[in-house]
Amino acid sequence: HDWAHDVRSRSIRARAYADPATRCWRCRRTLAEVKAAEPGRRVEWHAGHTGGRYDPLMAECSLCNLRDSQVKTMAKREAKRASSGGSRRF
């Protein structure tokens, strides 16, 4: 991420932490609800992308943000593998 993202995300996270009623835009749960459902996990607020690079950022629990990142990364890898015509062998 770049400087502009860092500046935008800092204020979004600060507002989310300041208001315990803030809900993750993906799962619609508060941070307390996510923590209660995932007691062994470290959960915090992130500023999640709602679309493209310049689309709005919204408060998103870290579990949703990291899950979305993993899904996108795996899709990119699969698309690259499919387009390369590779046999999946090294």
Side-chain angles (χ1 to χ4, degrees):
H1 293 149
D2 58 15
W3 174 83
H5 178 274
D6 292 342
V7 170
R8 290 170 45 206
S9 67
R10 191 174 304 126
S11 65
I12 289 167
R13 287 182 282 124
R15 282 191 307 250
Y17 280 115
D19 181 4
T22 300
R23 294 191 172 274
C24 170
W25 78 272
R26 285 189 195 267
C27 68
R28 307 304 305 158
R29 297 183 293 177
T30 65
L31 203 58
E33 291 169 340
V34 176
K35 287 179 177 181
E38 301 282 346
R41 308 267 316 258
R42 179 178 173 205
V43 183
E44 55 191 22
W45 283 120
H46 286 186
H49 290 279
T50 58
R53 180 177 177 170
Y54 299 107
D55 288 341
L57 299 174
M58 294 179 71
E60 179 174 29
C61 72
S62 54
L63 299 183
C64 286
N65 193 346
L66 296 173
R67 187 177 302 117
D68 179 62
S69 177
Q70 179 187 18
V71 167
K72 287 180 179 175
T73 298
M74 296 304 288
K76 286 178 187 176
R77 287 181 184 162
E78 188 59 36
K80 184 176 180 181
R81 190 179 355 242
S83 68
S84 70
S87 64
R88 294 188 175 195
R89 293 188 297 169
F90 293 98

